[in-house]
Amino acid sequence: MPRTIVLMPTYDERDALPVTADRLLHAAPDVTLLVIDDGSPDGTGEVAEAMAAIDDRVRVLHRSSKQGLGAAYLAGMRLALDEGFDRIVEMDADGSHPADALPAMLEAADRADLVIGSRWVPGGGIVDWPLHRQLISRAGTLYAQIALGIDVADMTAGYRVYTADLLRRILADEVTSQGYCFQIDMTRRAADLDAVIVEVPITFRERELGRSKMSTGIIGEALMRTTAWGIGRRWGQLRSAAAQLRRTPTLR
Ligand SMILES: Nc1nc2c(ncn2[C@@H]2O[C@H](COP(=O)(O)OP(=O)(O)O)[C@@H](O)[C@H]2O)c(=O)[nH]1
Ligand SMILES: [Mg+2]
């Protein structure tokens, strides 16, 4: 059986984390849960330690300060690969990602390199999310889809399963995205490596506990980087098409 680790980044999630972890470990009892806490002022790190003390499946990675979601995930991913896990899952700590969808996502990973828990495929959706968040997410993923020319409906999704093999290949290059564009960046890199990407429908729920860390700075970073990546991708496609034309012998 593949060894699976769930990476769960936390920043000020003292109340939400235990509930989310409980649901996860019930839905998927064989996984290891790694909480990656950026020195949360509210004591989430200590809450995670208390969970780890009574459950062998729970581990904690403490980082000194808030360095963004991307950096937290990258630290967790390196640890997961170093320790030989076969499946690496990304999941938010706020309960937005349905734990009961994980078995189906893990099963899908038998036939894919990257499985995305997707809100924007038939059968997927969102519940209780304010309209402005829905619009940001919808517009963001649509813009990324068009700018990058990648056929993934939920490019910014944070509920994912990576196979170790794909993750190792992606991380062979340096990834520097900090905020939510980390997800777009990883999708783009997977597509560039011709990974098989499968979307499994999920219902995403607005958090009931704690508050969102989304900010306009994070949205700005995503917009700027996605635009630059889109231009880079199109330019690369143009150049290889031109090279192809030059190689084609002309008929006389
Ligand atoms: N370690 C760490 N976790 C973070 C950071 N920013 C956000 N998170 C976590 O990432 C997950 C998603 O963040 P959230 O605020 O719910 O974003 P939203 O769902 O887009 O509103 C949650 O588990 C957060 O606690 C960060 O800088 N460091
Ligand atoms: Mg959230």
Side-chain angles (χ1 to χ4, degrees):
M1 218 175 87
R3 286 177 67 222
T4 301
I5 187 166
V6 178
L7 308 178
M8 194 171 282
T10 55
Y11 192 76
D12 282 355
E13 302 288 3
R14 184 183 58 197
D15 298 326
L17 173 66
V19 182
T20 307
D22 206 49
R23 285 189 197 144
L24 166 70
L25 293 169
H26 271 100
D30 297 322
V31 303
T32 296
L33 167 61
L34 179 69
V35 178
I36 309 158
D37 186 63
D38 277 6
S40 298
D42 78 346
T44 304
E46 289 87 77
V47 171
E49 283 298 343
M51 287 163 38
I54 54 169
D55 192 327
D56 286 346
R57 295 171 293 180
V58 181
R59 296 172 52 183
V60 194
L61 182 62
H62 295 280
R63 292 157 57 76
S64 53
S65 62
K66 185 167 181 351
Q67 291 160 59
L69 190 61
Y73 267 133
L74 286 171
M77 286 169 172
R78 295 214 177 85
L79 182 148
L81 292 179
D82 284 349
E83 296 197 6
F85 284 93
D86 305 299
R87 304 260 191 274
I88 296 93
V89 180
E90 292 181 354
M91 188 179 195
D92 286 357
D94 60 0
S96 288
H97 296 150
D100 55 13
L102 187 56
M105 288 172 65
L106 289 172
E107 206 178 293
D110 291 341
R111 294 172 302 280
D113 304 303
L114 168 59
V115 178
I116 298 181
S118 179
R119 295 162 285 193
W120 309 125
V121 292
I126 40 182
V127 175
D128 295 338
W129 226 22
L131 188 65
H132 75 279
R133 283 304 305 267
Q134 292 193 37
L135 288 175
I136 291 169
S137 175
R138 259 321 226 177
T141 197
L142 210 66
Y143 180 68
Q145 227 178 336
I146 293 165
L148 302 174
I150 294 171
D151 190 20
V152 168
D154 198 346
M155 200 95 73
T156 58
Y159 195 16
R160 296 170 171 228
V161 183
Y162 290 89
T163 59
D165 180 51
L166 174 64
L167 202 55
R168 205 169 285 118
R169 287 162 64 212
I170 292 178
L171 298 190
D173 281 331
E174 198 189 357
V175 180
T176 56
S177 303
Q178 295 283 308
Y180 296 12
C181 67
F182 177 73
Q183 306 298 1
I184 302 172
D185 196 3
M186 294 294 279
T187 312
R188 167 187 83 100
R189 289 168 190 269
D192 283 348
L193 291 166
D194 292 325
V196 177
I197 305 175
V198 168
E199 289 182 89
V200 170
I202 62 143
T203 301
F204 178 102
R205 292 183 173 275
E206 173 59 328
R207 59 160 78 235
E208 283 162 11
L209 301 165
R211 26 174 225 96
S212 170
K213 281 95 211 167
M214 169 71 111
S215 68
T216 46
I218 284 170
I219 299 171
E221 183 203 9
L223 199 63
M224 303 249 296
R225 288 205 181 216
T226 303
T227 303
W229 294 328
I231 293 168
R233 258 181 98 87
R234 302 299 184 182
W235 181 241
Q237 282 164 356
L238 259 176
R239 280 177 29 156
S240 59
Q244 187 77 41
L245 267 179
R246 277 200 299 276
R247 277 200 299 276
T248 312
T250 40
L251 294 175
R252 288 178 207 280

